[in-house]
Amino acid sequence: MADDGIVEVNPLFTRPGETAVADRFRIPGGPMLPETAYQIVHDEIMLDGNARLNLATFVGTWMDPYASKLYADAFDKNMIDKDEYPQTAAIEDRCWKMLAELWHAPDPTGTVGTSTTGSSEACMLAGLALKRRWQHARRAAGEPADRPNLVMSSAVQVVWEKFCNYWDVEPRYVPITEDHKCLDGHDLASYVDGNTIGVVAILGVTYTGVYEPVREIAAALDALQRDTGLDVPLHVDGASGAMIAPFLQPDLVWDFRLERVHSINTSGHKYGLVYPGLGWVVWRSADLLPEDLVFRVSYLGGDMPTFALNFSRPGAQVLLQYYQFLRQGRAGYRAVQKASQDVARFLAEGVGAMDAFELWNDGSDIPVFAWRQKAGHTGNWSLYDLSERLRLKGWQVPAYPLPDDLADLTVQRVVVRNGLGMDLARSLLDDIRHAVRFLDGLSGPMPSEGRVSGFHH
């Protein structure tokens, strides 16, 4: 019998090293065959979930074989080393300028941007630029610059809470309610003042998938400027939606067509269709990124500017993003995103037709939808119980409470990504129906001990 600190290896495998046990918490004293080390790690990760059935995450889990081949060709590339990998650096530059053009920057080649390890780092950089520009403006006006605040919906992704915590910015959360299910410009003047560094609008709320109406938020800030003189910039957190809206809702005005939008971020590893981890952030024009945030360093024989929280990081994902831009083109991205949206709408219609549920939204923005249990349906089970029943079939469909003023309301959410087709979606609907029939047949309430919210970021 093994101790808690060791891993038992199947005794049927008789190569040296597999007839014993591997210590979990100490580096072994000697080497083992590569086949043995591979088998131990390979066998352990079999215990992970099936990524194709994980409907909790926005992160991409599938790319085609040529992308995998390119990935293998580029494992060793270090994105920070632009002297050794100048062509990879040039491709990074092309990618964010392509995004600037996609997002209607007035002069795409005159913008500035960067790749990041994901949208979280991209948000941090955008937030830092907002804070620094506000500090410069306050000091130039002879005003104190020690109490910055950032205004956003209570349903923002946790990265914005981290940003405010790590960089001493007061978060001002506009609560979502039944009447205002996202930040929509309502009562914005109550939260904005001279210490506001910016407002964050979310193009695809993590909790539910709905777009916040960026144009209406910008209009509310325009009105505020006319009334008070306060000129407050907008950042669009387009982690998901910035790679959906240009293809599925091209007439929706949310991007650099609005002068108040200073910066936009997105996740290459979400609906950018790239393996993790990759993010992007682009500023409307180069002057909106304060020069004193950009470091110019000598590294491995070259002089280079850098604006990032990380230094050395993989360059392969940047090349994969360029591959996807070339491989898909606008028509390909439109087709892929439309297929995901069709699946989301199909699933939402099926879930909404069940007596037990009421849709919160229907997947018509990003391919994500959420639902709640219909009031009065039953006291014997909750959406947490349904989530657990679905997990028995391998599906990860999280249940969790909404934030703040709606904390008593639990929803369940499905994220549809490239790789979830109609046939698999039909199987999911069948499994939800079977689980509901089982739960509705209970003669008493399910135990509530140990219930936890599912992963939903």
Side-chain angles (χ1 to χ4, degrees):
M1 182 177 294
D3 294 331
D4 288 343
I6 54 181
V7 179
E8 287 198 11
V9 180
N10 189 330
L12 294 176
F13 294 176
T14 57
R15 288 193 296 262
E18 290 189 347
T19 55
V21 291
D23 197 308
R24 278 183 171 169
F25 305 118
R26 289 186 299 177
I27 297 175
M32 65 175 63
L33 292 171
E35 297 93 332
T36 305
Y38 168 83
Q39 194 66 53
I40 290 172
V41 178
H42 174 80
D43 287 355
E44 189 151 355
I45 64 174
M46 288 194 302
L47 302 174
D48 283 339
N50 184 332
R52 294 279 298 282
L53 302 182
N54 183 358
L55 307 183
T57 181
F58 290 77
V59 176
T61 53
W62 184 89
M63 291 190 79
D64 66 51
Y66 283 99
S68 298
K69 184 177 186 302
L70 181 61
Y71 204 172
D73 292 341
F75 281 149
D76 60 342
K77 294 190 184 295
N78 184 355
M79 195 63 247
I80 201 67
D81 189 356
K82 294 176 171 59
D83 189 58
E84 184 174 356
Y85 305 113
Q87 208 56 37
T88 298
I91 288 173
E92 178 194 30
D93 183 80
R94 288 178 216 166
C95 284
W96 57 255
K97 286 177 179 174
M98 287 178 170
L99 289 171
E101 192 274 335
L102 182 69
W103 297 334
H104 299 96
D107 177 17
T109 59
T111 57
V112 63
T114 185
S115 67
T116 61
T117 54
S119 252
S120 292
E121 183 187 2
C123 291
M124 294 280 184
L125 298 181
L128 283 171
L130 290 175
K131 181 181 178 183
R132 187 61 57 87
R133 278 180 54 80
W134 173 82
Q135 288 173 323
H136 289 333
R138 294 281 289 183
R139 287 166 183 157
E143 299 285 348
D146 59 341
R147 299 184 63 187
N149 66 68
L150 183 68
V151 176
M152 53 202 152
S153 160
S154 63
V156 288
Q157 212 264 0
V158 68
V159 63
W160 291 106
E161 299 176 40
K162 288 183 177 181
F163 167 77
C164 291
N165 186 353
Y166 295 169
W167 273 279
D168 294 322
V169 175
E170 175 198 350
R172 291 188 175 177
Y173 298 114
V174 180
I176 63 170
T177 65
E178 290 278 5
D179 294 329
H180 301 278
K181 294 182 177 180
C182 63
L183 183 69
D184 57 10
H186 170 74
D187 200 28
L188 201 54
S190 299
Y191 297 87
V192 174
D193 59 26
N195 289 325
T196 301
I197 65 174
V199 173
V200 176
I202 314 169
L203 201 70
V205 175
T206 301
Y207 285 88
T208 58
V210 300
Y211 290 153
E212 291 186 336
V214 183
R215 192 173 196 169
E216 284 81 348
I217 297 169
L221 291 173
D222 289 343
L224 183 69
Q225 184 176 6
R226 288 192 297 270
D227 293 341
T228 67
L230 294 175
D231 185 6
V232 179
L234 259 174
H235 172 78
V236 177
D237 183 351
S240 297
M243 291 304 294
I244 294 290
F247 306 111
L248 297 188
Q249 300 98 5
D251 296 328
L252 181 68
V253 177
W254 62 273
D255 52 16
F256 292 130
R257 285 171 286 187
L258 300 169
E259 289 188 24
R260 197 166 291 278
V261 174
H262 279 203
S263 50
I264 300 171
N265 71 274
T266 196
S267 276
H269 64 230
K270 292 180 181 173
Y271 291 104
L273 308 182
V274 173
Y275 285 136
L278 178 67
W280 299 96
V281 58
V282 179
W283 285 266
R284 176 187 178 82
S285 55
D287 62 296
L288 296 178
L289 174 60
E291 180 63 29
D292 57 344
L293 285 176
V294 179
F295 282 79
R296 299 188 180 277
V297 297
S298 178
Y299 183 64
L300 297 179
D303 181 73
M304 40 157 269
T306 174
F307 180 39
L309 301 181
N310 297 289
F311 206 60
S312 292
R313 58 185 172 86
Q317 283 86 349
V318 169
L319 301 180
L320 290 176
Q321 184 73 86
Y322 188 54
Y323 167 80
Q324 286 288 46
F325 286 166
L326 297 177
R327 165 79 177 84
Q328 303 294 342
R330 290 181 183 245
Y333 265 101
R334 186 178 303 112
V336 170
Q337 316 298 36
K338 182 64 165 60
S340 293
Q341 187 183 62
D342 288 346
V343 171
R345 298 293 298 274
F346 166 76
L347 285 170
E349 182 179 354
V351 170
M354 299 182 199
D355 291 339
F357 306 127
E358 183 178 274
L359 290 179
W360 184 265
N361 63 302
D362 66 358
S364 58
D365 290 340
I366 62 174
V368 174
F369 70 99
W371 67 91
R372 55 183 167 184
Q373 195 175 62
K374 194 173 290 183
H377 176 74
T378 182
N380 284 346
W381 60 273
S382 70
L383 294 180
Y384 296 104
D385 300 313
L386 176 58
S387 182
E388 288 300 314
R389 292 296 301 178
L390 293 174
R391 191 176 284 269
L392 295 176
K393 300 285 288 186
W395 300 105
Q396 293 186 53
V397 184
Y400 49 86
L402 290 177
D404 293 347
D405 287 18
L406 294 178
D408 293 334
L409 174 58
T410 298
V411 298
Q412 201 157 13
R413 187 198 68 196
V414 162
V415 177
V416 178
R417 307 181 309 281
N418 188 30
L420 180 66
M422 281 290 188
D423 196 62
L424 199 54
R426 182 177 59 184
S427 296
L428 171 60
L429 271 181
D430 288 342
D431 288 338
I432 292 175
R433 292 186 184 109
H434 291 155
V436 169
R437 279 199 293 270
F438 170 83
L439 292 167
D440 277 346
L442 294 172
S443 58
M446 289 284 284
S448 60
E449 291 79 13
R451 282 180 181 166
V452 295
S453 298
F455 175 86
H456 54 281
H457 291 294

